[in-house]
Amino acid sequence: MTKHNKVLFLNDLISKVGSLRKEGKIVVQSHGIFDLIHPGIIKHLNEAKEQGDILIVTVIKDKDVRRGPGRPIFPENFRVENVSSLEQVDYVCLVDDEIPFSCVKSIKPDVFAKGQAYKERDIKIHDKIFEEEKEFYFGKSKIYETGGFSFSSSQIINNFLDIYPNETKNFLKKFSDKYGFDEIVEKLNSLKKLKVIIIGDGIIDEYHYCEPMGKSAKSPIIVNKYLNHEVFAGGAFIIANHIAGLCDKVQLVSLLGKEESREDFIVNNLKPNIGTKFFYRDDGPTVCKKRYINLNQKVFEINYLNNVYINGSCELDVINYLKSTISEYDLVLISDFGHGFITNNIINAIKDFSKIFAVNTQTNAANAGFNMITKYNNPNFVCLDEIEVRLGTQDRFGDIEDIAKKLSNMLNADGLIVTLGKKGSIGVNSANEINRTPVFSTKVIDTVGAGDAFFAFAAPCFAHGMPLNLVSFIGNAAGALAVQIVGNKKPVEKYELLEFINAMLKHSP
Ligand SMILES: Nc1ncnc2c1ncn2[C@@H]1O[C@H](COP(=O)(O)OP(=O)(O)O)[C@@H](O)[C@H]1O
Ligand SMILES: [Mg+2]
């Protein structure tokens, strides 16, 4: 067989496997990144092949590789070519890995060959998948564990190849001396029991993709042709979705418009373990932000919203609700976009009745710097980006570490993290000590929602008593995963975070 026709599209592979099985052939599937072809991989593939007649290999696309900075080393076309050049491999296909192993379900091989890389990780990361939810992910395919020869690509890469920038390398070395992967998994798993209530502005994010056609005959503008559009539940909605992957009980309190409420869409886009309490304003719609994208470039944005504070009777309803429920929760998380929901009286009620509260005040075009963190006194945890911190202290050019300390003192916060976009983040703890975390991703698709993902993962970690350097590490890993997602298309999932952290912390035993 020539190398060329080994590589198939998913649909072709599905029908190929179907007809091979009809002929009575036993089809075995192996699934992974295959960033390095090393002895462990070869042993795994040989043993997999021995379990049947035909070996197919599904290779994870670049966009779904979650192994930390600089990964994959080789782009997908090279990884596919490497695998297809191996004698024991019969067919190769490039696949999405958004829901892990969903391709196994659609390909329906007789056997799924699970390699050492999964074996050592699945207890921590994929336990539910391989045990409790086997049927859902693998259908009727038998799982076969290939043996003995333990080599991890990530371990080889981290130890022998120079893939990290110096700052990241030094950081990871020090960090992995302090924290092991198992300890982090345990801590993240213990967040399941944390009861979280999220109070904030929900936003519908729309992306309208269009193509320039030409100049209008009547005015000096370029006229575009509509191609398609996507709608996502953003703001407090996506924050609730991020947290619902970590914590079992999540309550969302938000404001919708009586007209254009889009409540069905919102509810359909929330994870099933999120309870909701919506309030309605009759003087404006549910906040919607519509962006027009032309050749991958945002060219225009229009916001549908009424920015003024909700009226007194709506405010009172919110306060009464919070007074009666807030004490049931371990963490109150405030996602304040300054779109009229969270009034000063509501802030006071939150402060009076919450055990721990964490807050993020967003600066955006609609609030023009009026939505300041200084509205909040004595917060337990604050997470802001650099501009928000500079606005809060009215210091535009000073040293960011000094400014972060100053703001932490001004607010009397127990913990404050400043996210610095591609420069990572800095944290200030209650003893006014600073820790810096470098950025973990060099691959950026869209930074919208990166700060929200950071906050959503960092706040529960902080509330659970993790030290600020660990909180920053987890937040930065969530931020790195979020910049690989278009807008707020989907939340960052816990298994993605764990895969990412596991790969980054792999060093010589
Ligand atoms: N350009 C980027 N490259 C890599 N990581 C980024 C980038 N922008 C954001 N991040 C990650 O997301 C986190 C939050 O992003 P940031 O831009 O600071 O917040 P916000 O979205 O609120 O403005 C950062 O701390 C970092 O981990
Ligand atoms: Mg932000």
Side-chain angles (χ1 to χ4, degrees):
M1 190 175 293
T2 61
K3 204 169 67 184
H4 177 75
N5 56 16
K6 276 189 185 181
V7 182
L8 299 180
F9 288 117
L10 183 58
N11 279 339
D12 298 331
L13 181 69
I14 291 171
S15 44
K16 187 89 206 165
V17 169
S19 56
L20 285 165
R21 292 187 63 195
K22 266 194 201 118
E23 287 168 29
K25 296 266 197 291
I26 295 175
V27 178
V28 186
Q29 178 180 357
S30 168
H31 173 73
I33 299 169
F34 302 94
D35 210 3
L36 270 195
I37 302 295
H38 56 78
I41 298 265
I42 299 294
K43 288 256 182 203
H44 160 76
L45 292 175
N46 285 344
E47 202 183 328
K49 179 68 175 256
E50 281 165 18
Q51 305 314 309
D53 308 303
I54 301 289
L55 176 60
I56 64 168
V57 177
T58 43
V59 176
I60 296 170
K61 286 181 187 168
D62 290 349
K63 71 173 178 61
D64 289 340
V65 171
R66 295 172 284 265
R67 290 289 181 276
R71 299 289 301 277
I73 299 179
F74 299 109
E76 56 200 27
N77 53 326
F78 289 113
R79 293 185 285 117
V80 165
E81 190 177 343
N82 276 357
V83 174
S84 68
S85 305
L86 300 172
E87 189 184 73
Q88 62 276 57
V89 175
D90 297 292
Y91 295 102
V92 182
C93 176
L94 198 58
V95 294
D96 296 316
D97 194 40
E98 276 167 4
I99 301 167
F101 312 112
S102 66
C103 68
V104 184
K105 217 177 159 183
S106 53
I107 293 167
K108 300 186 183 70
D110 297 283
V111 182
F112 178 80
K114 175 178 141 190
Q116 285 297 313
Y118 287 123
K119 191 181 171 192
E120 63 150 355
R121 288 208 313 269
D122 65 7
I123 309 161
K124 304 290 178 191
I125 300 173
H126 293 307
D127 57 345
K128 274 207 185 138
I129 296 175
F130 281 106
E131 278 156 31
E132 291 162 36
E133 296 177 47
K134 198 157 118 185
E135 184 106 346
F136 174 80
Y137 286 98
F138 295 97
K140 292 198 167 54
S141 303
K142 198 179 106 193
I143 297 170
Y144 174 84
E145 220 168 77
T146 58
F149 212 74
S150 175
F151 259 129
S152 130
S153 299
S154 294
Q155 197 166 3
I156 297 173
I157 290 166
N158 290 358
N159 285 313
F160 301 110
L161 303 182
D162 207 15
I163 59 164
Y164 297 141
N166 267 336
E167 194 195 358
T168 311
K169 197 160 60 184
N170 294 337
F171 172 86
L172 287 176
K173 196 167 165 2
K174 275 201 207 117
F175 189 84
S176 59
D177 287 343
K178 251 184 253 142
Y179 299 100
F181 179 64
D182 290 359
E183 184 189 348
I184 295 176
V185 174
E186 210 171 283
K187 288 199 153 89
L188 280 169
N189 283 341
S190 65
L191 295 179
K192 276 185 195 160
K193 289 193 226 86
L194 197 78
K195 291 188 205 141
V196 183
I197 186 166
I198 296 148
I199 302 161
D201 299 287
I203 298 167
I204 306 262
D205 285 309
E206 294 193 3
Y207 288 71
H208 293 255
Y209 300 93
C210 38
E211 186 178 73
M213 293 187 297
K215 185 194 157 295
S216 156
K218 307 250 166 77
S219 45
I221 54 169
I222 298 293
V223 181
N224 286 269
K225 182 180 170 193
Y226 165 84
L227 296 175
N228 55 58
H229 72 277
E230 292 182 293
V231 185
F232 310 126
F237 306 137
I238 189 77
I239 290 187
N241 272 335
H242 286 304
I243 295 179
L246 287 177
C247 307
D248 290 342
K249 188 176 153 93
V250 175
Q251 178 71 1
L252 169 68
V253 183
S254 193
L255 178 74
L256 308 183
K258 267 207 182 109
E259 279 164 39
E260 296 290 326
S261 86
R262 302 171 80 166
E263 186 164 345
D264 290 343
F265 171 81
I266 293 160
V267 171
N268 285 333
N269 279 278
L270 293 174
K271 287 191 175 168
N273 57 328
I274 299 174
T276 55
K277 174 69 186 172
F278 293 130
F279 294 89
Y280 302 86
R281 76 183 307 154
D282 44 26
D283 56 354
T286 295
V287 177
C288 171
K289 302 187 177 178
K290 212 178 257 197
R291 288 112 179 154
Y292 291 86
I293 289 106
N294 189 324
L295 307 171
N296 287 325
Q297 189 87 30
K298 285 178 200 143
V299 285
F300 185 68
E301 176 173 329
I302 181 162
N303 288 184
Y304 299 75
L305 81 174
N306 184 0
N307 254 356
V308 303
Y309 281 125
I310 49 174
N311 64 35
S313 85
C314 185
E315 181 185 55
L316 200 62
D317 289 346
V318 177
I319 290 171
N320 286 335
Y321 171 78
L322 293 177
K323 275 185 183 167
S324 66
T325 48
I326 223 171
S327 59
E328 291 168 34
Y329 293 90
D330 303 312
L331 166 65
V332 180
L333 188 144
I334 305 159
S335 168
D336 185 351
F337 284 75
H339 294 337
F341 180 37
I342 303 178
T343 63
N344 285 334
N345 290 332
I346 291 177
I347 294 172
N348 288 333
I350 294 170
K351 272 195 315 218
D352 290 346
F353 295 95
S354 60
K355 290 181 202 149
I356 297 182
F357 83 95
V359 56
N360 168 249
T361 50
Q362 296 274 342
T363 290
N364 50 42
N367 66 45
F370 278 99
N371 192 40
M372 286 290 92
I373 189 63
T374 44
K375 292 188 287 184
Y376 294 84
N377 296 319
N378 306 316
N380 299 94
F381 180 64
V382 175
C383 188
L384 297 171
D385 70 18
E386 180 168 351
I387 292 295
E388 288 152 0
V389 170
R390 290 188 181 279
L391 282 167
T393 50
Q394 290 291 295
D395 189 338
R396 192 168 195 180
F397 301 113
D399 177 72
I400 190 64
E401 289 191 6
D402 294 342
I403 293 172
K405 282 188 196 166
K406 186 161 110 192
L407 184 63
S408 173
N409 288 333
M410 268 168 63
L411 301 173
N412 194 25
D414 297 335
L416 177 137
I417 292 181
V418 188
T419 63
L420 304 172
K422 59 176 180 294
K423 287 179 277 164
S425 68
I426 53 181
V428 187
N429 67 14
S430 52
N432 232 20
E433 293 160 339
I434 290 269
N435 73 276
R436 257 189 188 266
T437 312
V439 76
F440 293 150
S441 179
T442 39
K443 267 194 295 190
V444 177
I445 290 171
D446 185 0
T447 60
V448 166
D452 297 329
F454 191 116
F455 178 50
F457 279 83
C461 294
F462 184 87
H464 203 57
M466 295 187 208
L468 206 61
N469 58 358
L470 181 56
V471 174
S472 304
F473 175 82
I474 292 170
N476 254 57
L481 289 163
V483 297
Q484 291 180 47
I485 299 169
V486 175
N488 290 314
K489 195 182 192 116
K490 61 179 270 313
V492 172
E493 300 293 346
K494 187 163 96 176
Y495 77 83
E496 298 175 306
L497 185 77
L498 291 177
E499 282 185 351
F500 189 88
I501 292 175
N502 183 51
M504 278 198 297
L505 295 183
K506 276 216 176 306
H507 285 280
S508 310

